[in-house]
Amino acid sequence: MIKITNLEKFYRTEEVETIALNKLSIEVKTGEFVAIMGPSGCGKSTLLNILGMLDDPDEGSYVFNGIEVAHFTERKRADLRKHNIGFVFQSFNLIDELTVFENVELPLIYTGVPSAERVKRVEEVLDKMQIMHRRNHYPQQLSGGQQQRVAIARAVVNKPKLILADEPTGNLDSSNGNDVMELLTDLNEQGTTIIMVTHSEHDARYSHRIIRLLDGQSVVENIMV
Amino acid sequence: MIKNYIKTAYRTLLKNKGFTVLNVLGLSLGLASCLLIIFYVVDELSYDRYNTKADRISRVNEDLKLGENNVLYAVCMPPLAQALKNDFPYVEDAVRLKNGGSRHVKKGGVNILENKTVFADPSLFNVFTLPMINGSPATALTEPNSVVLTETTAKKYFNSTNVIGKTLTFDDNIFYKVSGVIRDIPRQSHFDFDFFISMSTLPDSRSTEWLRSDYNTYVLFKNAGDHKKLEAALPAFLNKYSGEQMQAQLKMSMAAFEKGGSFFRLNLTPLTDIHLKSNRTGELGPNGTTQYVYIFSAIALFILLIACVNFMNLSTARSANRAREVGVRKVLGSLRKHLIAQFLIESILVAFAATVIALTAAIALLPAFNQLSGKDIIVNSQTMVWLIPALLLIVLVVGALAGSYPAFYLSAFQPIAVLKGKLSAGFKGSGLRSFLVVLQFSISIFLIVGTLVIYNQLNYIQTKNLGYNRNEVLIVQNTFELGNRANVFKKEIKQLPGVVNATMTGFLPTSNWKNTAIFFKDAAFDQKKALFPQTWEVDEDYIKTLDMKMAVGRSFSSQMLTDSSGIIINESAAKFLGLKDPLNKPLYRSNGGKQDISNSKEYHIIGVVKDFNFSSLRDVISPMVLVLANNPGALSVRVNTKNLPVVLSQIKDKWKGLTPNIQIDFSFMDQDFDASYRAEQRVGTIFIVFTALAIIIACLGLFGLAAYAAEQRTKEIGIRKILGASIAAIAGMLSFDFLKLVLIAILISLPVGWFLMNKWLQEFAYRVNIQWWVLVLAGFTSIFIALITIGFQSIKAALSNPVNSLRSE
Ligand SMILES: Nc1ncnc2c1ncn2[C@@H]1O[C@H](COP(=O)(O)OP(=O)(O)O)[C@@H](O)[C@H]1O
Ligand SMILES: [Mg+2]
């Protein structure tokens, strides 16, 4: 599904140039559950952003589903993204002014799903995440675990082929964290490819494979058994 | 402590340069505009206040109603001033002025036309404050044939102000002795003259007639409240003098006269009300109107309001970003009152800076504004006496209002809540801010409607068919100078190639010559049916030269000997008289005094001229009659423009040939016409300029708010983009929030604008209707302007990379 080769990303500020990714090559197959680990600042988020087509690499190739997207225009990337990829963040990133239902509905609006269909699909996914009873609440009124479930509901409502999760349990206690990991595992078992950044060896154990990054380079790949 | 506040304030302001500049700029612009208008309004309101006795001076007016005719005069009977002094002990003094018209005054060998001449009683200098540089105020105007000059005039004719006893030659053969030199008439005076000629020079000034009015009469009371006493005593007073003469001449008592539905009354106008409130027949000069003072005050208030709203909106918007600072300060031990003081000082500091800039800008722009408004305003130390305290008050009020939201609202937060980020102080949440934006835009849209309506009305005045053709008409003024050669002049001019026609008379639709007479439809002389028309003396070429149209009948003709008793009436007169078929019907002109056949002249109507406008378009066309007479006031020449310079020089040559010593004075009829609407034109321009300013200021505010809103919502924008929102969708979403407010403003202001501007238009008898497109245009203009302002910020926000906005985690 994903194949990156010799990917490079630099950040230039006035004085320094940071190499966030240094000739990184990774492959992820459809249906895999991959964990990315590494010290803070080693380029995990940068990698995830590029994989999610939120950012483009400076050098190298990125083939998504057989298409070279490294130098796609913003518009094409956005189009590919909204139909194929769902995001889950450490800090949930729900919109405070919208209710649970409206937050989850948003991706469907942007992909042009008709209103009746939207209601059906949002209710379906809220049901699955067991937060249906909170549908009219605002994010501020929910616990962290509930907020993250809403965020996952929002990420999967469009039935993406790939879910990118950046430290999804980072802001949660262990019990809530485990719930989230169970959800992701379920999704993976239903066929969704998942790439997850995490600091927790415990969480990483849910995945099939761990990619360890150090200073923008892949060091080891552990295959879980 | 204070020093710490000011230091923090200074640094915060510097850190948010964009906001600070926008904020200060908006407020300065608003205050500067407001100041200029205030100067204008104060100037209008302070007319005649240079008179130290201003509050004790009133002018006596006459109101006359004769049948259906109602005339308000600014003048009174010749003996009235003296009689008031005799009869009422509380009348300290009284003075008469009588406009002296245009005179030629000789300087070297050349006669210069002077328009600002007046006859005045010796008491002039006791009533009005006109300081004398040379001569004795008490006696300067007692002797016949003496004249008092203004300083500038004295210098113009003698290069000196030391000119007592010198002689000035008027109209080539009249000699007046200079008996005094006064300072120039203050700018803010309802009259403006250069030559004050002693009243005793004029034999008519000794007239004892109580049935005609042609003297502007001013009374000086002993005490300020006395005018009420006099007003109450005037009916009896008038009955005593005029009643007696009425009985003798008209064989009618005042009571009988009033029983017939007519009246004849005196009243008083306080001196300081004349400039703004008086618009009577026989004023000594053109006055202003309160209407414009109101309109301009309203605009000034609007602009100030818009600017203050901006200031508050931007200040409070920015302060939401400082919730964290408040939290930190509180944790570190700052008391609430310290925070209140800090925010207030910061805001007052900005208001102060803006005010200083505004004052400087207003003074710098004053010359341009004077040009625009046709005024001659100066700012001196006297202005500062009231201006500085007023400005300080504005600084305090605006600064405190703008600072009060952050000061009292933010300072009340619990530090824990603020620091945990629970307080998002969401932009959408602020109902007050939305309300203020709606207010600003309502005002702006209203001003746009106002501008469009005024512009349309002015355009209408310019292009309306007035019933005559004012283009390509050259007017040679004062042809009476030619004496009995005036007719020769006309004949010679008519023969010039390039001259289409010419008519000799001072009575023109664009001139100030006015004359009314009393006419009766039949020999019964029924007061109630009296016609009181403009009665103009014209020649047989009048109708043709001015391109007027006859409704029925014919114009005067030199061939018809009987035309000296023929009369042409206008359509309004025909309607007033109720004549279905007016041709050949008689009209009797009353010769004043007794009203019987022997004492009146009989005319017969030979034609009806289509109504033409001869006074302001504010007034309905009133009845008028034209009679055939030799009136050498001016010669109006219809020319062929292709060779205007040639024709002009030929006309000048002819004039020189007839009277080499007197300069020719000419004008063009279309320019004279435009001059009479200059006040309206000015108001129109001022309105447009300040409307533009108001809109710019409102947009500055909107620009700032849009930037702020976008900043507040960067996280949300980022999330939406990641979820697949397009740039257009995001820009649209951000813009719509503001556009919604503008739409509400449109809904409020269009009906209000329509209503108020209709009221303004009611002042004009001849006016445009407010077209639907004016309202639509105003609405769309505001949406368009708002979109441009907001759109820039919205698109900028929509284009930003979501990764950056979410990186803060
Ligand atoms: N927008 C940016 N500008 C400059 N440097 C950045 C930017 N984003 C990331 N970096 C730098 O790139 C490196 C990798 O960052 P990141 O991918 O966020 O690390 P991680 O998520 O692994 O902690 C870090 O050194 C970081 O400072
Ligand atoms: Mg990271």
Side-chain angles (χ1 to χ4, degrees):
Chain A
M1 170 174 243
I2 286 172
K3 186 173 194 317
I4 58 173
T5 354
N6 288 334
L7 206 66
E8 291 181 39
K9 179 78 185 174
F10 318 106
Y11 289 108
R12 284 175 199 91
T13 52
E14 275 141 32
E15 305 102 47
V16 277
E17 186 183 276
T18 318
I19 305 176
L21 296 177
N22 190 3
K23 295 204 190 302
L24 182 66
S25 302
I26 291 174
E27 194 168 349
V28 177
K29 300 218 165 56
T30 307
E32 265 197 296
F33 187 161
V34 176
I36 298 174
M37 297 190 76
S40 193
C42 71
K44 304 181 298 288
S45 295
T46 306
L47 174 61
L48 219 56
N49 286 339
I50 292 176
L51 292 179
M53 295 177 221
L54 296 172
D55 222 347
D56 47 356
D58 291 314
E59 289 294 335
S61 130
Y62 172 17
V63 176
F64 182 84
N65 270 345
I67 312 164
E68 173 62 60
V69 297
H71 298 292
F72 258 32
T73 60
E74 154 109 32
R75 194 191 199 98
K76 275 183 167 168
R77 276 194 273 140
D79 220 47
L80 207 56
R81 180 170 71 224
K82 70 182 172 193
H83 288 109
N84 292 297
I85 304 174
F87 292 88
V88 180
F89 302 93
Q90 175 180 357
S91 59
F92 324 134
N93 279 337
L94 298 173
I95 296 176
D96 293 340
E97 286 82 7
L98 301 181
T99 62
V100 164
F101 184 92
E102 289 162 342
N103 262 293
V104 177
E105 190 188 18
L106 220 45
L108 298 175
I109 294 177
Y110 291 132
T111 44
V113 177
S115 154
E117 168 84 9
R118 287 205 301 267
V119 175
K120 212 183 96 213
R121 276 167 67 177
V122 173
E123 283 177 350
E124 217 174 83
V125 71
L126 287 180
D127 227 17
K128 209 157 89 186
M129 301 291 154
Q130 294 164 16
I131 36 170
M132 192 56 183
H133 58 296
R134 299 284 193 176
R135 55 177 290 172
N136 290 325
H137 288 195
Y138 285 90
Q140 301 283 350
Q141 299 167 319
L142 305 180
S143 73
Q146 287 168 326
Q147 288 192 43
Q148 194 59 300
R149 258 186 279 167
V150 176
I152 294 174
R154 191 178 61 182
V156 302
V157 70
N158 238 343
K159 304 205 168 82
K161 298 186 181 71
L162 172 66
I163 285 182
L164 299 172
D166 196 345
E167 299 184 39
T169 60
N171 279 5
L172 301 176
D173 58 41
S174 59
S175 138
N176 273 317
N178 286 342
D179 283 356
V180 165
M181 289 317 297
E182 295 293 342
L183 274 173
L184 290 177
T185 310
D186 282 355
L187 285 168
N188 178 246
E189 276 162 8
Q190 285 153 32
T192 314
T193 311
I194 294 178
I195 302 176
M196 170 184 79
V197 168
T198 183
H199 281 298
S200 144
E201 295 285 350
H202 168 80
D203 288 353
R205 247 173 261 140
Y206 285 87
S207 69
H208 306 157
R209 179 154 70 100
I210 303 175
I211 298 172
R212 293 191 192 270
L213 287 187
L214 195 64
D215 287 343
Q217 277 177 307
S218 163
V219 189
V220 213
E221 293 201 14
N222 302 35
I223 315 260
M224 311 298 291
V225 269
Chain B
M1 201 64 182
I2 285 270
K3 215 171 128 196
N4 184 296
Y5 292 155
I6 293 181
K7 199 167 73 188
T8 337
Y10 177 75
R11 285 195 188 148
T12 328
L13 293 173
L14 217 60
K15 206 176 109 202
N16 300 287
K17 272 194 210 87
F19 270 118
T20 308
V21 167
L22 218 55
N23 215 351
V24 172
L25 195 71
L27 188 59
S28 318
L29 201 59
L31 276 177
S33 315
C34 188
L35 276 178
L36 286 175
I37 301 180
I38 289 174
F39 289 155
Y40 177 97
V41 169
V42 167
D43 185 79
E44 282 286 298
L45 291 178
S46 45
Y47 264 69
D48 293 307
R49 297 209 191 264
Y50 69 89
N51 288 293
T52 51
K53 302 169 189 169
D55 56 335
R56 289 194 283 139
I57 305 173
S58 287
R59 189 186 64 197
V60 189
N61 309 310
E62 180 191 318
D63 293 356
L64 177 67
K65 183 164 189 278
L66 207 59
E68 293 302 309
N69 304 283
N70 213 334
V71 194
L72 306 177
Y73 289 105
V75 285
C76 285
M77 307 82 177
L80 179 111
Q82 189 56 47
L84 286 175
K85 269 203 271 191
N86 293 345
D87 288 15
F88 302 104
Y90 52 84
V91 171
E92 186 179 307
D93 210 341
V95 60
R96 294 175 302 167
L97 291 171
K98 185 169 165 51
N99 205 324
S102 300
R103 307 285 296 266
H104 278 98
V105 183
K106 192 169 269 171
K107 182 189 179 189
V110 189
N111 275 310
I112 301 174
L113 189 71
E114 295 286 0
N115 298 314
K116 298 181 185 173
T117 73
V118 68
F119 294 98
D121 280 326
S123 47
L124 178 72
F125 303 111
N126 181 33
V127 177
F128 295 105
T129 309
L130 301 170
M132 202 165 263
I133 306 173
N134 260 308
S136 141
T139 57
L141 289 174
T142 42
E143 293 299 312
N145 300 318
S146 32
V147 60
V148 171
L149 308 177
T150 60
E151 200 176 341
T152 308
T153 315
K155 283 182 185 148
K156 175 173 167 188
Y157 283 90
F158 303 104
N159 282 324
S160 153
T161 55
N162 217 342
V163 293
I164 306 295
K166 298 219 166 142
T167 301
L168 272 178
T169 311
F170 276 62
D171 299 332
D172 246 351
N173 52 15
I174 302 166
F175 304 100
Y176 293 153
K177 211 160 84 187
V178 178
S179 56
V181 175
I182 54 171
R183 289 211 191 289
D184 286 346
I185 306 295
R187 203 169 43 73
Q188 291 158 309
S189 168
H190 78 283
F191 61 74
D192 179 23
F193 294 105
D194 292 333
F195 299 85
F196 293 85
I197 305 161
S198 57
M199 189 61 89
S200 50
T201 314
L202 200 65
D204 183 71
S205 67
R206 289 175 283 280
S207 160
T208 53
E209 281 177 71
W210 278 91
L211 291 179
R212 75 173 159 94
S213 291
D214 35 21
Y215 288 81
N216 296 84
T217 307
Y218 299 83
V219 188
L220 172 67
F221 295 105
K222 290 222 166 83
N223 298 303
D226 288 341
H227 68 277
K228 288 218 178 77
K229 273 196 259 176
L230 182 62
E231 210 141 42
L234 279 172
F237 170 81
L238 186 67
N239 195 25
K240 175 170 150 198
Y241 293 99
S242 293
E244 191 178 288
Q245 290 194 0
M246 194 182 277
Q247 191 69 47
Q249 293 181 26
L250 303 181
K251 310 267 183 291
M252 189 191 272
S253 73
M254 197 72 122
F257 180 72
E258 295 205 346
K259 224 174 183 178
S262 305
F263 62 72
F264 182 33
R265 288 172 193 160
L266 294 177
N267 59 53
L268 301 173
T269 303
L271 177 65
T272 48
D273 279 356
I274 292 177
H275 175 68
L276 285 180
K277 297 193 182 149
S278 175
N279 185 19
R280 292 169 164 259
T281 305
E283 297 281 352
L284 282 176
N287 289 331
T289 64
T290 17
Q291 203 198 8
Y292 292 145
V293 170
Y294 287 144
I295 290 181
F296 285 142
S297 306
I299 294 183
L301 204 69
F302 283 163
I303 291 186
L304 188 65
L305 204 64
I306 290 182
C308 291
V309 165
N310 255 359
F311 187 70
M312 288 194 254
N313 259 347
L314 290 177
S315 305
T316 56
R318 205 194 50 204
S319 67
N321 281 350
R322 299 177 62 186
R324 176 169 287 271
E325 178 193 335
V326 171
V328 174
R329 280 181 185 272
K330 277 197 155 182
V331 170
L332 295 181
S334 177
L335 292 178
R336 188 166 175 220
K337 64 178 182 190
H338 294 152
L339 289 166
I340 293 177
Q342 190 197 330
F343 281 119
L344 283 182
I345 285 176
E346 190 179 311
S347 154
I348 289 173
L349 221 59
V350 175
F352 181 76
T355 307
V356 171
I357 296 175
L359 184 60
T360 320
I363 292 173
L365 288 173
L366 199 55
F369 180 72
N370 276 337
Q371 188 130 27
L372 188 70
S373 61
K375 286 225 164 258
D376 202 6
I377 302 164
I378 37 172
V379 174
N380 49 29
S381 52
Q382 271 171 335
T383 324
M384 293 300 171
V385 168
W386 59 264
L387 194 58
I388 299 285
L391 285 177
L392 285 179
L393 192 73
I394 290 182
V395 167
L396 283 180
V397 171
V398 173
L401 274 181
S404 57
Y405 169 81
F408 292 96
Y409 184 64
L410 287 183
S411 64
F413 282 130
Q414 292 306 314
I416 302 299
V418 176
L419 289 180
K420 271 195 172 163
K422 282 257 165 61
L423 172 83
S424 64
F427 181 81
K428 282 174 166 176
S430 171
L432 175 71
R433 205 143 48 218
S434 303
F435 169 77
L436 291 177
V437 170
V438 168
L439 179 71
Q440 274 186 322
F441 265 80
S442 301
I443 293 172
S444 301
I445 296 164
F446 168 70
L447 289 177
I448 296 178
V449 173
T451 307
L452 287 174
V453 171
I454 291 180
Y455 178 81
N456 274 347
Q457 174 66 16
L458 289 178
N459 192 44
Y460 172 78
I461 289 175
Q462 290 290 311
T463 54
K464 181 182 187 303
N465 181 358
L466 300 171
Y468 65 95
N469 181 357
R470 65 181 183 275
N471 299 316
E472 300 180 15
V473 177
L474 176 92
I475 303 171
V476 181
Q477 307 283 2
N478 309 314
T479 35
F480 55 83
E481 309 271 12
L482 300 170
N484 46 23
R485 287 159 302 170
N487 281 320
V488 179
F489 181 61
K490 175 182 166 187
K491 226 172 262 159
E492 287 182 351
I493 298 296
K494 272 182 84 167
Q495 276 158 10
L496 291 176
V499 169
V500 182
N501 214 331
T503 180
M504 175 104 69
T505 178
F507 292 103
L508 295 168
T510 51
S511 79
N512 291 326
W513 282 51
K514 294 274 140 61
N515 179 44
T516 42
I518 307 170
F519 284 85
F520 294 96
K521 193 158 75 162
D522 45 45
F525 297 106
D526 182 355
Q527 289 285 353
K528 279 190 200 161
K529 291 180 188 151
L531 177 65
F532 209 58
Q534 281 294 318
T535 306
W536 289 10
E537 299 168 332
V538 302
D539 62 14
E540 65 276 4
D541 293 315
Y542 192 72
I543 303 271
K544 236 195 276 158
T545 307
L546 298 184
D547 227 353
M548 295 168 175
K549 303 279 180 291
M550 299 300 293
V552 285
R554 61 177 178 84
S555 173
F556 295 116
S557 155
S558 49
Q559 263 87 57
M560 307 281 277
L561 289 172
T562 52
D563 270 5
S564 59
S565 65
I567 194 166
I568 297 174
I569 64 177
N570 71 354
E571 291 171 312
S572 300
K575 205 165 135 205
F576 183 91
L577 293 167
L579 293 174
K580 287 245 161 55
D581 177 22
L583 288 191
N584 292 318
K585 294 273 158 48
L587 264 187
Y588 300 90
R589 178 179 186 164
S590 158
N591 265 346
K594 275 173 266 158
Q595 282 165 14
D596 53 47
I597 298 285
S598 65
N599 202 16
S600 64
K601 178 170 177 179
E602 181 180 343
Y603 287 91
H604 59 274
I605 298 169
I606 62 163
V608 177
V609 65
K610 286 205 166 159
D611 275 345
F612 59 92
N613 285 92
F614 53 85
S615 64
S616 166
L617 288 180
R618 287 172 179 271
D619 309 325
V620 180
I621 296 173
S622 61
M624 106 154 344
V625 301
L626 303 174
V627 296
L628 190 61
N630 198 9
N631 178 307
L635 184 72
S636 305
V637 187
R638 179 164 294 283
V639 294
N640 194 333
T641 41
K642 260 177 248 150
N643 39 25
L644 183 64
V646 181
V647 179
L648 200 56
S649 76
Q650 282 170 329
I651 292 175
K652 279 181 187 164
D653 286 346
K654 295 280 180 216
W655 176 275
K656 256 210 186 99
L658 289 168
T659 172
N661 285 338
I662 299 175
Q663 271 183 331
I664 190 169
D665 180 24
F666 64 87
S667 63
F668 290 93
M669 195 175 244
D670 48 357
Q671 287 168 10
D672 290 356
F673 175 83
D674 290 344
S676 60
Y677 288 97
R678 200 148 287 156
E680 268 91 359
Q681 298 283 7
R682 285 208 174 108
V683 173
T685 336
I686 295 179
F687 214 90
I688 290 171
V689 168
F690 284 99
T691 299
L693 280 174
I695 294 170
I696 289 174
I697 298 168
C699 283
L700 280 183
L702 198 61
F703 186 81
L705 281 186
Y708 169 75
E711 188 190 309
Q712 285 290 296
R713 294 173 72 176
T714 40
K715 182 180 153 213
E716 181 193 338
I717 293 166
I719 298 171
R720 283 179 184 270
K721 280 189 85 170
I722 286 173
L723 295 178
S726 65
I727 292 167
I730 291 191
M733 174 188 83
L734 291 175
S735 302
F736 183 71
D737 280 347
F738 283 106
L739 226 47
K740 225 168 35 194
L741 302 180
V742 175
L743 287 175
I744 296 173
I746 288 177
L747 286 182
I748 295 171
S749 59
L750 286 189
V752 175
W754 184 83
F755 176 78
L756 289 179
M757 289 320 290
N758 254 327
K759 274 212 124 147
W760 178 73
L761 284 174
Q762 299 299 323
E763 300 274 319
F764 291 88
Y766 301 94
R767 57 180 179 255
V768 288
N769 288 318
I770 300 181
Q771 306 282 329
W772 60 268
W773 64 259
V774 166
L775 302 181
V776 172
L777 184 64
F780 273 107
T781 310
S782 58
I783 292 179
F784 180 72
I785 293 174
L787 261 186
I788 290 181
T789 314
I790 307 158
F792 175 75
Q793 293 293 353
S794 303
I795 290 172
K796 197 174 118 191
L799 282 175
S800 64
N801 189 340
V803 175
N804 293 329
S805 53
L806 297 179
R807 236 177 68 81
S808 52
E809 344 170 339

